[in-house]
Amino acid sequence: MSSKVNNIKKIVIVGGGTAGWMTAAALAKVLGKNYCEIQLIESDAISTVSVGEATIPQISLFNKLLGIDENDFVKKTKGTFKLGIEFIDWTKKGGGYMHPFGDHGTNMDAIQFHHFWLKMNQQGKVADLEDYSLAAVAARQGKFMRSQNMGNSPLSNINYAFHFDATLYAQYLRNFAVERGVNRSEGKVVDVCLRSSDGFLDSVMLESGERVEADLFVDCSGFKALLIEGAMKTGFIDWSDVLPCDTAVAIPCKAKDPAIIYPFTQAKAQKTGWIWRIPLQHRVGNGYVYSSKFINDDDAVAILKDQLEGEPVGEPNFLRWKTGMRKKSWNKNCVAIGLSAGFVEPLESTGLHLIQSGIAKLMGLFPHNGFDQIDIDTYNNQTSTEFEYIRDFIVLHYKATDRDDSPFWRHCQNMEISPRLQAKMDLYNANGRIYRQDAELFNETSWLAVMHGQGLKPKGYNPLVDVMVDAEIERRLTHIHSVISKSADTMPMHKDFIEKYCKSNF
Ligand SMILES: Cc1cc2nc3c(=O)[nH]c(=O)nc-3n(C[C@H](O)[C@H](O)[C@H](O)COP(=O)(O)OP(=O)(O)OC[C@H]3O[C@@H](n4cnc5c(N)ncnc54)[C@H](O)[C@@H]3O)c2cc1C
């Protein structure tokens, strides 16, 4: 049969949170108005998570796919720019480090920069690692700009992401998708019908009694996982043994000092979890992520309120989850994207990236109406690998710590981690070696920032560094340090950059 006859004729997306509208916007852009019908069903009666406010640089690829104007998007979502994440009190109380977006130093003679730095550091001759990262230095000074065309200068290579109001982001994408032909239906899905012949999804039933059929269903119903789990019983892999946090309470507040907007997310460790701080143009997002086994809700709210820098601008909003992922994110004619597919936890802001990545994989493996199992298996294998690497990276923050000042941290220190993460830590601890594997999301820079920041100390370094005499290494490191520092000096303040290009009218 020709593929034309076999094309998917209708896609139904269930859920209008960030996942639903990101999926709808991307499908509408790529498929255009004539390929097939796209319908999104959402219910105003069921609230969205709406706290996905921090992103990672890969989101620029999604913006490019949609072709959206970045300044307009930042303005309409009251957004700010993000150069990294500052981790406070994770290794020990009083310690802090930056996980910047962008390289530390520059590789020399095909050897990673950090090996030269490790050698000098072991002799006590260098500045802190983050002083060799433009993103980290600029972030701490409250500075930001986009890359300039300046040859070898670090100013030519500024990697950044965004903070934004997640509700406004979903609205922005909704307008984008609806303008491009997505049909939006308001209504609660009350029943899901499977085909008796093969267990594929046939239709969803709305509270109004309307039955909506489709060839392909995208489950964006959030933690409920209405289709993939509720109807199809796909199964879930539970990671709470290594990721114990299962609850968050969010309370936005006014900024203490509106005169400066730092372009980074803050993650401040607590006795039983951590508190995020996300600066937006009009307010600051805050949330305490904790394990309900180690602290109750009232105490968590009290701790969060105590640490708010300004007047609260909302009531406490509780979110509860189980960390882990669906056994299959794509099952028969149902693809789960967003929280219905799984959730690692908010540290390192990977939720929206996993949505974007799910959409990209779906485009790459887009089915015809016959649904080839090999396409589905490939999607599921890639998704599992991606989730597992992200899980390992996040577990590293909890596991590699000297903190033992509470039952929570003692639990983290003693938990059994995956052999793959253990191997990565062992490899780094021996001679500082780091490899990015299987197209994993986080690159060597990220692993270095967090392994170093969390206090891992390699015993050695790549011995090929010894080919260069120490005086030359020192000279080069001093030069790089000075270039980074001078580059940061020329950057505008983040707040001024926003005022100039993307200030929202609130
Ligand atoms: C505490 C916390 C902090 C986070 N922080 C970040 C972050 O900083 N960065 C990041 O990238 N990610 C973050 N995430 C993840 C991010 O919030 C989610 O990935 C993102 O919001 C996508 O959610 P969703 O659309 O899958 O689900 P939801 O927002 O829950 O949306 C579900 C949708 O399904 C609809 N629905 C449900 N049931 C029905 C029904 N019966 N009928 C009709 N409609 C229905 C709802 O109305 C809603 O529209 C965070 C998550 C949590 C929990």
Side-chain angles (χ1 to χ4, degrees):
M1 202 181 291
S2 96
S3 61
K4 260 228 134 346
V5 179
N6 251 348
N7 281 353
I8 295 282
K9 293 192 183 62
K10 178 154 183 190
I11 302 173
V12 161
I13 301 166
V14 174
T18 316
W21 285 114
M22 281 177 82
T23 307
L27 287 175
K29 178 74 200 297
V30 173
L31 273 51
K33 284 190 175 162
N34 300 321
Y35 184 85
C36 73
E37 188 189 341
I38 305 170
Q39 181 176 356
L40 184 144
I41 302 168
E42 64 179 331
S43 167
D44 286 344
I46 303 169
S47 60
T48 58
V49 162
S50 294
V51 286
E53 297 190 322
T55 58
I56 56 175
Q58 284 77 356
I59 195 164
S60 299
L61 299 174
F62 187 73
N63 289 347
K64 279 203 186 94
L65 170 78
L66 299 191
I68 58 183
D69 177 274
E70 193 174 280
N71 285 339
D72 180 58
F73 148 76
V74 173
K75 184 174 173 180
K76 292 202 173 124
T77 58
K78 303 188 178 176
T80 62
F81 295 87
K82 173 178 171 186
L83 290 171
I85 307 178
E86 184 190 25
F87 291 89
I88 303 169
D89 292 344
W90 280 81
T91 325
K92 56 179 189 306
K93 283 201 83 173
Y97 68 95
M98 188 71 79
H99 168 194
F101 300 144
D103 298 335
H104 296 92
T106 181
N107 296 346
M108 295 183 269
D109 299 334
I111 298 172
Q112 290 166 315
F113 167 82
H114 73 270
H115 288 285
F116 296 92
W117 180 86
L118 279 173
K119 178 173 186 186
M120 290 295 112
N121 187 49
Q122 283 158 13
Q123 299 173 17
K125 286 186 183 163
V126 271
D128 197 82
L129 182 65
E130 72 175 50
D131 290 339
Y132 297 87
S133 156
L134 177 61
V137 172
R140 289 208 184 274
Q141 293 178 12
K143 294 188 160 179
F144 177 78
M145 70 180 193
R146 298 190 181 103
S147 294
Q148 306 288 302
N149 202 352
M150 293 177 68
N152 281 339
S153 162
L155 294 168
S156 303
N157 188 20
I158 298 175
N159 262 334
Y160 59 90
F162 309 94
H163 303 117
F164 48 63
D165 181 322
T167 308
L168 296 178
Y169 184 54
Q171 275 170 22
Y172 185 87
L173 294 175
R174 179 163 96 179
N175 293 340
F176 180 99
V178 170
E179 273 167 23
R180 284 160 185 77
V182 171
N183 294 323
R184 174 190 176 262
S185 308
E186 159 60 36
K188 189 171 170 189
V189 172
V190 288
D191 198 11
V192 182
C193 307
L194 304 181
R195 288 198 311 235
S196 56
S197 53
D198 54 10
F200 275 52
L201 290 176
D202 175 71
S203 55
V204 292
M205 185 78 81
L206 305 189
E207 208 167 29
S208 62
E210 187 191 348
R211 201 169 136 235
V212 183
E213 295 178 327
D215 304 315
L216 174 67
F217 290 83
V218 188
D219 185 346
C220 295
S221 63
F223 290 126
K224 284 198 173 71
L226 214 60
L227 311 185
I228 194 99
E229 197 59 56
M232 303 183 97
K233 313 282 179 236
T234 302
F236 187 77
I237 304 166
D238 184 343
W239 289 336
S240 42
D241 53 339
V242 283
L243 292 166
C245 292
D246 58 5
T247 313
V249 56
I251 311 179
C253 74
K254 290 193 175 152
K256 180 175 158 203
D257 180 5
I260 185 157
I261 304 176
Y262 284 102
F264 57 87
T265 305
Q266 223 172 44
K268 188 164 189 236
Q270 308 292 313
K271 280 198 161 175
T272 49
W274 59 281
I275 287 181
W276 79 71
R277 178 189 186 276
I278 297 178
L280 302 180
Q281 290 191 34
H282 58 312
R283 62 167 166 80
V284 173
N286 311 281
Y288 186 2
V289 177
Y290 56 93
S291 164
S292 60
K293 280 201 194 113
F294 293 93
I295 188 172
N296 65 46
D297 291 348
D298 290 345
D299 289 349
V301 170
I303 288 170
L304 180 60
K305 282 190 168 164
D306 196 44
Q307 296 191 32
L308 292 183
E309 66 188 61
E311 193 189 321
V313 288
E315 290 303 309
N317 173 21
F318 286 93
L319 299 132
R320 300 178 204 280
W321 65 84
K322 193 188 272 182
T323 41
M325 64 174 294
R326 213 54 60 201
K327 279 188 181 153
K328 296 178 205 162
S329 302
W330 185 341
N331 189 359
K332 300 182 194 284
N333 60 341
C334 174
V335 183
I337 292 185
L339 298 171
S340 56
F343 187 47
V344 186
E345 82 129 274
L347 195 67
E348 295 287 355
S349 329
T350 50
L352 301 194
H353 172 76
L354 283 164
I355 295 172
Q356 162 186 352
S357 168
I359 296 168
K361 285 198 284 287
L362 176 58
M363 303 284 190
L365 293 160
F366 198 79
H368 56 71
N369 211 359
F371 289 94
D372 280 302
Q373 191 59 40
I374 186 71
D375 291 342
I376 297 177
D377 292 345
T378 303
Y379 182 98
N380 287 329
N381 289 338
Q382 290 179 358
T383 304
S384 303
T385 307
E386 182 168 37
F387 263 85
E388 283 167 12
Y389 273 110
I390 291 174
R391 174 203 62 196
D392 283 353
F393 185 62
I394 292 176
V395 170
L396 171 69
H397 301 66
Y398 289 97
K399 176 72 181 175
T401 178
D402 293 334
R403 282 194 74 152
D404 59 359
D405 55 310
S406 66
F408 174 83
W409 287 107
R410 287 193 287 278
H411 166 84
C412 292
Q413 275 194 349
N414 292 324
M415 65 196 180
E416 197 174 320
I417 58 175
S418 75
R420 193 161 55 194
L421 174 58
Q422 190 62 57
K424 273 190 184 267
M425 290 167 69
D426 291 346
L427 186 69
Y428 179 74
N429 277 334
N431 289 302
R433 299 189 215 263
I434 306 170
Y435 290 103
R436 188 179 196 174
Q437 293 164 289
D438 299 331
E440 65 178 305
L441 173 62
F442 288 102
N443 64 14
E444 288 93 340
T445 301
S446 294
W447 279 94
L448 172 65
V450 177
M451 289 204 276
H452 171 69
Q454 291 291 139
L456 299 192
K457 290 203 171 36
K459 286 198 282 295
Y461 52 84
N462 186 334
L464 293 181
V465 160
D466 295 335
V467 172
M468 200 181 288
V469 295
D470 283 6
E472 176 61 9
I473 301 177
E474 256 192 283
R475 190 191 67 75
R476 290 194 188 189
L477 263 57
T478 305
H479 176 68
I480 293 170
H481 185 257
S482 148
V483 168
I484 296 283
S485 163
K486 284 185 187 142
S487 300
D489 285 348
T490 66
M491 291 171 69
M493 294 303 287
H494 179 215
K495 181 150 175 65
D496 296 340
F497 186 91
I498 291 173
E499 295 270 346
K500 189 165 175 192
Y501 297 106
C502 37
K503 174 129 175 57
S504 71
N505 326 304
F506 28 92

